[in-house]
Structure formats: C-alpha cells, structure tokens
Amino acid sequence: MTIKDLFRLLLKLFGTYSLVISLFTVIPQNVSNLTYMGEDILLGFWLFLILVIIISLYLFIIFKTDLIVEKLKLDKGFDEDKIVFEKISDIEIYKFAIILLGGFLLIDNLPVMISQIMYIFKANLNVSNVVFNDKSIYDYFDLLITVLSVLIGYLLINNYRFVAEFFSKK
C-alpha cells in the first residue's frame, strides 16, 4: 500500500464519518429548533444551507480525494512511498496520529461552529424573539471553544510534519 492510497482511504473514512455525525447530530438539532421556533423562514433556510454544505463536503471528500491529497501535500515528507507495516518508524506513526487527531477535531466541531454562528447571527438581527437560556445575550464561550477546536484541527492537519518532529524529539 502506498502512502497516497492510505490517505485516500482515510479521507473516504473521514467523509463518511462526517456525514454520519452531521446527519445524526446537527440536522436533528436544527430540525428540533425549527419546530420549536415555529415556521421561521430564515431558520429553515439555514437548515437547508447546512444540509447542502454537509452533502457537498461529503461528496467533495469522497470523489476528490486525489485533489485533497495533492493540495494538502499529505503524501509528501515520508521517507518511502510504500508502507510496509513491519517497518513503520516512530515519526511516521506520529504523523499519522496527528493527521487523524486534526481530522477528528475538524469534523466534529465544524458543523457545531456553523450552527452556533447561525444562532448568534439570528439573535443579533432580532429576526424573531429568540431567547437563549432566559437571556437576550448569547454565551460566546461555547463558540470560542468550538472555533479553537476547528482552528487547532486545521493547524494540526497543515503542520503535521512539524508537530511530529517536535514529539519525536521528546
């Protein structure tokens, strides 16, 4: 198995995982909010937009894996092109684990971040009488944590070589 094949397989697994997580967490949460808020057209539009984004990302990850591997240069920086599982070095395991961790952070928190931004946007526009926990001001702490998680996931994926070298020195 080549490194490029491994990343193709991982990206397809990430795409499927993100679709399943999104369909079973973000969509039901927003549908329940839609029924709670009544027939609000803006919320329905956001729900539709989130669904389109999720499906588009899924299709992009599944069918454009070679483009993703080339643009992120995931197959570069390894000593050998082929993976022999008996001869995996520590730094390659670190690289692999860091990419997995960054991917999970990104996939788990990106839909939540989009939903939270939608709620804040809606509350600031006063589109309807939205009250968050009996307050008119939304708590930005959850959004901060989600944005940091997405940012850390993105940085881990893009700088996996540097982080792997840092951990291999310790």
Side-chain angles (χ1 to χ4, degrees), residues 3-159:
I3 292 175
K4 194 169 192 173
D5 292 335
L6 176 68
F7 283 114
R8 283 184 195 139
L9 175 69
L10 289 176
L11 283 172
K12 290 182 183 195
L13 287 173
F14 278 140
T16 306
Y17 175 75
S18 68
L19 180 71
V20 168
I21 290 297
S22 298
L23 289 178
F24 289 111
T25 58
V26 174
I27 301 301
Q29 179 186 12
N30 286 316
V31 168
S32 68
N33 289 336
L34 183 64
T35 58
Y36 176 72
M37 301 285 181
E39 294 182 17
D40 189 7
I41 294 175
L42 184 63
L43 189 62
F45 171 74
W46 277 108
L47 179 63
F48 177 74
L49 184 66
I50 288 171
L51 184 63
V52 167
I53 289 171
I54 289 169
I55 292 173
S56 301
L57 283 173
Y58 171 72
L59 292 174
F60 181 74
I61 289 172
I62 294 298
F63 294 114
K64 298 293 183 179
T65 55
D66 288 333
L67 179 68
I68 295 170
V69 170
E70 289 173 11
K71 290 294 180 185
L72 294 178
K73 299 177 184 173
L74 295 175
D75 58 342
K76 307 294 185 223
F78 291 95
D79 294 335
E80 297 178 16
D81 188 39
K82 297 204 181 250
I83 296 176
V84 180
F85 290 108
E86 293 86 27
K87 299 180 182 178
I88 295 179
S89 68
D90 290 342
I91 195 156
E92 289 178 2
I93 292 172
Y94 286 136
K95 288 179 184 178
F96 181 70
I98 290 165
I99 290 172
L100 279 177
L101 181 64
F104 280 126
L105 279 172
L106 205 59
I107 288 171
D108 284 341
N109 291 301
L110 190 61
V112 176
M113 183 183 76
I114 292 170
S115 294
Q116 289 175 344
I117 290 172
M118 180 212 42
Y119 293 139
I120 291 171
F121 178 71
K122 185 174 179 177
N124 287 336
L125 285 181
N126 293 326
V127 175
S128 65
N129 296 329
V130 178
V131 177
F132 297 102
N133 298 329
D134 296 327
K135 297 178 196 173
S136 61
I137 299 174
Y138 183 76
D139 183 20
Y140 291 99
F141 182 73
D142 289 336
L143 178 64
L144 176 68
I145 297 298
T146 319
V147 168
L148 285 176
S149 298
V150 168
L151 182 65
I152 289 170
Y154 175 75
L155 290 174
L156 281 175
I157 290 174
N158 280 338
N159 300 314

